[in-house]
Structures are given as C-alpha cells and as structure tokens.
Amino acid sequence: MADTKREIERKYEATDATRLPDLSRVAGAARAVPKGVTELDAVYYDTPGLRLAADSLTLRRRTGGADEGWHLKFPVATGIRDELHEPLADTLPSSFAALLRSRLRHDEVTPVVRLLSSRDVQHLTDADGTLLAEVSVDTVLAERLAGKGSGTTATWTEIEVELADDGDPAFLDAVEKRLRKAGVRPSDASSKLARALAETTPVRKKKRETEDPHTAGDHVLTYVREQIRAIVERDPAVRRDLPDSVHKMRVATRRLRSAFKTYRTILDREVTDPVGAELKWLAGELGVDRDQEVLDERLTGRIDALPTTLALGPVRGRLQVWSAARRTGSRRRIIDVLDGERYLDLLDTLDALAADPPLRPAASRAPGKALPRAVLKDYERLARRMDHALEHPPGPERDTAMHEARKAAKRARYAGEAARPALGRPAKRFAKRMKAVQSLLGDHQDSVVAREALRTLAVQAHAAGETTFTWGLLYGHEEATADRRERELPEVWARASDPVLRADLRQ
C-alpha cells in the first residue's frame, strides 16, 4: 500500500526579484529556519488526451529531494490534495495503475511534461521548534514532451507554503496576510503541471462559452453526466477503502439508473435499459459490504445504548464474530469487480452514452413541460405503493409493501433532485418531502433486517450455551421502532402527498 499524506498548501506568484518577507514575524511562528536549496527533476505522466489533467489528477516520477519516487495526487478541495507515494522505479507502480484504472481504461500513460525545479526551502517553527509550515521558492523550467507544443519550454518562479502534518489551516491565513503585505499575490495556477500545460500549449481560438441548458434533454444529460463522473471519481476512493466511498459510488449508480427510468421519454430505453441492468449489477456487488456495515452500526449502537446491567453475555464479541464471517472476502470481491473487464466495459459504455446520447423527440421540449410530467409519473407510482402499504395490517405483508414503497420514494426523490436545476424551488421542496418518506421507510426496513439478524444471533448464542436475554431485548427495541415508524407514516405521507407540491411543479 502506498504511503499517503494530506497536502494542504497555497501557491503564490514570484519573480527573480521577489524577496520573501521575514516570516518569523507571522503570528504563531518564532523562527524561519533556512534548509538550503534542492534540485528536483520531475516527469509528469498522462494519457495522450490528458485525461488525468482534465480531472486535476497529478502523476509524476521525481528524483531529488527527501521524497523522490512516484507521486499520485487526488484533489480533495481547493488547495488540498491527497498525495500518495511509492518508491522510485522505472515503471508505473501497480498500485497507482489500479487507482487510475477508471480513468486510464486501456490507455497507457506517457511522459507529457518535465519540470526542473531549484527549490529554496525554509521551515517556519514555533518557540518549541515544532514545524508549522514549509515555505519554498521554486525556480521552474518546464518542457513539453508530448502533444501540441511538444518541445516548447516555459520558466517561472513561484512560492509554495505547505502546512505541516496535523497543522492548523489558520496558520496559512497568517502567512498569506504577511505575504500580501509584502506585495506577493496568490497564483492563478492550481499546480505546477497545470501551469506548465497552459504555458506550453499553442494559443488556440477561444471556445464559445457553454450555453446554459435550455431543453429538457440538456438538463437530463447534465444530471446523467454528473452521475457518470461520480462513479469514475469514486473508484480510487473505494480502492483506498476511504470512509463512505462504497456508499457514495453505489448511490451514483442508483441515481443514474433511476434517471434512465424516470426520463424514459427523453432517453431511449432500448439503449438505456441494458446499461441500467449493468448498473444494477454493479450496485449489487458494491452493496454486499455496505449493507453489512449499516447493519453493524445499527446493532452496535443498540448495544452501546443499553445499561451495562442489561448487556448480559459476550454480546459484542458474538456480534463481531458474526459480522466478520459475513464480511469474509467482500472487500477483495469489490476490488476484483473493479479490476474486471465487465466493469471497464460498463465505464466505456457510459462514456459512449454521454458523448452520443440516445435522445428521443421529447428531449427538445421545454424543461418546464417535459420534466414535471416525468417527475409526477414517479410520484403516482409511489402513491399506488403507499396505498397498498397502508391498507395492510402490521405484519410481514405490510413490511414487504413498505419496502417496495421505500424504493419508489427514493426514485421520486431522485427525480425531483435531477429536475431541481430546471424547476427550482418546487422541485427542491418535492424532493425534500420524498426524502422524508424514504428516510422513514428506510428506518422501518432497517428494523426488519435487524430483527432477522438478532434472531440469528440469539439462535447462535443459545446453541453456544449463552444467555439470549440481551438479544431478545434488542429484538423488542427494533419491534418498537418499527411500530413508531408505522404510526408516523400517515402524517409524513400526508405532507408529501400535498397537492400543492405537485401543482407547483407544473407552473
């Protein structure tokens, strides 16, 4: 596994004549310690079409400095990136190749830019000598190695201020205040690579500004492309096992599949239905681990909430053993799915669909007419399922009916969220009410699943000669939760089914 660090830095413009002010006078700092000059030689890699740069990813092989080797940087927020490091080698590390697979597909990376940097470093420390930030003045020579502008060079000088590990970001504000007072201004470039590409690319005619979406098809395609992009962007996070990454990737697949169904009058189902089936497959593979994670959190929370006098027997240990047995191999299975050809084929298909969308005649209509109609069809589907759920007395049949209604509520919510850029506040209110219904029904379904798990745990505990008191107590708590949700449902549904919500969508 590659070494990872969170890089928080700011860049500033400089010239050969720029002199750094005395940064030891920055609030919180006590000393500015010179660390000398280091020569760095970095080659940046990308696809011929610069796919990594388009997504603000940086892949380089650098010699010189304390951290020479391969570096891969993922954007987190403005001025914040996760930097992964692998030792120096002649070829791209396999771990990096895997993390970039959703972007590279079948392409190979090649050298696109070489940067030679002379880096003059000083450390800002507090009175105890603790590092607060590293400040460097970099004199850079960039050479374009491939693509348009190959052989072109550019030079510049810049200042970087990188926060120390676990440092307070407010310290960067203090440094910036001092730099600005000395006439130093923030750089417009997000990275050295971005600047090198910009300054070595031949000047081209300025493209016309992209017009705002004005047809129903424009709005739907914008949403569809956002979800496709989310799937691709979540891939490395899932491989790195980052918190909530599987869930977010799964949600993107569900939103996309839901959009295909909701807006079937705009996108041809003969094309989208097979893609939707593949998205369902991917969501199912991702869900194996996620569903168990949600269940574990729920049951652990229930146990933690009990008075110690009621937690009888090795309940936590048994839950952990049971959960571990169900998770065996699930993590490896997800990675195998992401490494498989079926998944890559799906990504290629999604790209092709986004580039050449299968639009139907309704796509050219005004969004104020076509989109409300599609959203309201999903509402009507939910209303039928709610009627069916509410007519059943409490029991297994009602549980099943409420679960089906939950899925319909989720689809109606997604439909409203997708239409929000076109329909504004009415779509936002509609989606919010649908989400309330979905959340309530979701908690009810979680209680159904939890009761099944608790019964299994109780049976295992009994077979091992352990007391089943606590498992029965938790089962009762889940029954009470389900009962509360069923009693709350009519009121929540009454608010969600308010005719005013639907009338506002049509305006």
Side-chain angles (χ1 to χ4, degrees):
M1 178 65 73
D3 295 331
T4 304
K5 65 170 292 187
R6 176 64 53 89
E7 178 186 79
I8 303 176
E9 68 176 17
R10 297 183 188 179
K11 295 179 178 291
Y12 301 88
E13 296 288 348
T15 67
D16 292 340
T18 299
R19 289 183 176 275
L20 282 178
D22 182 3
L23 297 178
S24 66
R25 298 176 61 186
V26 171
R31 297 182 65 201
V33 184
K35 290 295 181 178
V37 177
T38 303
E39 302 299 326
L40 306 174
D41 185 349
V43 176
Y44 290 75
Y45 289 74
D46 209 328
T47 64
L50 301 179
R51 186 161 191 164
L52 302 184
D55 286 348
S56 299
L57 270 66
T58 299
L59 172 65
R60 74 183 178 207
R61 180 184 183 275
R62 189 170 75 184
T63 57
D67 64 343
E68 68 176 8
W70 285 88
H71 301 92
L72 176 58
K73 298 185 181 184
F74 290 96
V76 176
T78 302
I80 304 175
R81 294 186 290 182
D82 278 347
E83 179 179 345
L84 284 68
H85 176 261
E86 288 281 15
L88 198 62
D90 292 335
T91 57
L92 178 68
S94 59
S95 62
F96 284 5
L99 292 172
L100 294 172
R101 198 159 191 251
S102 65
R103 264 88 170 191
L104 300 181
R105 315 286 170 79
H106 302 288
D107 288 343
E108 297 288 337
V109 292
T110 58
V112 293
V113 168
R114 184 182 186 188
L115 296 182
L116 300 176
S117 303
S118 182
R119 170 166 290 182
D120 189 0
V121 176
Q122 61 177 266
H123 285 178
L124 303 184
T125 66
D126 64 13
D128 296 327
T130 300
L131 180 64
L132 301 175
E134 179 178 281
V135 180
S136 63
V137 179
D138 294 347
T139 303
V140 183
L141 168 63
E143 180 186 3
R144 189 68 170 264
L145 302 177
K148 294 181 179 180
S150 180
T152 306
T153 62
T155 60
W156 69 88
T157 302
E158 68 179 33
I159 299 169
E160 284 187 358
V161 184
E162 182 175 347
L163 190 68
D165 294 344
D166 302 319
D168 183 356
F171 183 69
L172 294 183
D173 295 333
V175 175
E176 180 163 317
K177 182 178 180 180
R178 180 73 175 161
L179 290 173
R180 283 180 175 273
K181 189 174 288 189
V184 179
R185 294 292 177 263
S187 172
D188 292 330
S190 59
S191 67
K192 285 184 174 66
L193 175 61
R195 182 164 185 169
L197 290 173
E199 296 198 10
T200 60
T201 298
V203 177
R204 292 175 292 179
K205 291 182 179 179
K206 188 176 180 181
K207 291 183 178 180
R208 291 182 58 189
E209 299 247 346
T210 304
E211 295 182 1
D212 291 334
H214 61 279
T215 67
D218 290 337
H219 282 281
V220 172
L221 286 176
T222 296
Y223 183 79
V224 164
R225 287 167 179 150
E226 286 175 356
Q227 305 317 312
I228 294 173
R229 186 164 56 251
I231 293 172
V232 172
E233 290 178 352
R234 295 298 176 194
D235 177 298
V238 171
R239 294 175 185 273
R240 295 169 60 197
D241 201 20
L242 297 185
D244 216 28
S245 57
V246 172
H247 172 61
K248 290 179 179 177
M249 188 175 185
R250 191 184 186 194
V251 167
T253 66
R254 286 175 165 175
R255 288 180 185 275
L256 185 53
R257 182 165 168 254
S258 182
F260 289 159
K261 292 181 177 180
T262 297
Y263 298 107
R264 55 190 178 274
T265 61
I266 293 172
L267 296 173
D268 190 347
R269 288 190 63 180
E270 289 190 10
V271 176
T272 61
D273 277 359
V275 182
E278 288 301 281
L279 289 168
K280 182 178 181 180
W281 159 77
L282 178 58
E285 295 291 345
L286 295 172
V288 173
D289 204 39
R290 172 60 183 172
D291 290 343
Q292 186 62 40
E293 180 183 359
V294 170
L295 180 57
D296 288 349
E297 290 175 356
R298 187 180 185 95
L299 296 183
T300 300
R302 292 291 195 200
I303 293 172
D304 290 344
L306 287 175
T308 55
T309 55
L310 298 182
L312 306 182
V315 288
R316 287 184 175 81
R318 177 154 298 282
L319 176 59
Q320 291 172 358
V321 170
W322 174 79
S323 174
R326 288 168 62 90
R327 284 173 177 256
T328 300
S330 60
R331 169 73 186 160
R332 181 65 255 172
R333 179 176 176 177
I334 289 177
I335 300 303
D336 287 344
V337 167
L338 299 186
D339 284 342
E341 288 299 318
R342 183 175 180 179
Y343 170 67
L344 283 190
D345 288 344
L346 172 58
L347 295 184
D348 287 341
T349 299
L350 292 174
D351 276 355
L353 186 148
D356 185 19
L359 297 175
R360 300 188 66 194
S364 62
R365 295 175 186 166
K369 292 185 178 181
L371 300 188
R373 188 175 302 171
V375 173
L376 292 174
K377 280 189 176 181
D378 278 353
Y379 168 82
E380 291 165 2
R381 177 172 173 268
L382 169 60
R384 290 192 297 271
R385 293 194 181 186
M386 285 298 304
D387 289 343
H388 181 61
L390 292 172
E391 71 184 13
H392 282 292
E397 288 188 6
R398 180 178 234 194
D399 291 345
T400 300
M402 289 178 70
H403 181 44
E404 292 302 312
R406 180 190 66 83
K407 291 188 283 187
K410 181 183 297 184
R411 180 163 149 184
R413 170 197 167 188
Y414 289 164
E417 290 175 347
R420 181 182 171 184
L423 305 183
R425 289 179 60 84
K428 180 181 179 180
R429 287 194 296 269
F430 176 86
K432 183 178 180 180
R433 297 288 176 86
M434 296 304 108
K435 182 179 179 180
V437 175
Q438 175 199 334
S439 298
L440 187 149
L441 292 172
D443 193 38
H444 181 275
Q445 176 61 17
D446 287 347
S447 78
V448 173
V449 174
R451 276 177 280 161
E452 293 175 357
L454 289 166
R455 184 181 182 281
T456 299
L457 287 161
V459 169
Q460 292 178 355
H462 177 73
E466 300 164 6
T467 176
T468 60
F469 172 83
T470 301
W471 302 118
L473 182 63
L474 295 177
Y475 190 99
H477 285 177
E478 290 294 352
E479 277 190 322
T481 295
D483 180 64
R484 284 195 302 273
R485 298 297 171 261
E486 290 178 20
R487 285 186 279 108
E488 293 166 358
L489 182 58
E491 181 180 348
V492 173
W493 174 239
R495 296 184 72 235
S497 58
D498 186 344
V500 174
L501 284 176
R502 303 194 296 283
D504 286 347
L505 287 173
R506 297 189 185 96
Q507 292 180 358

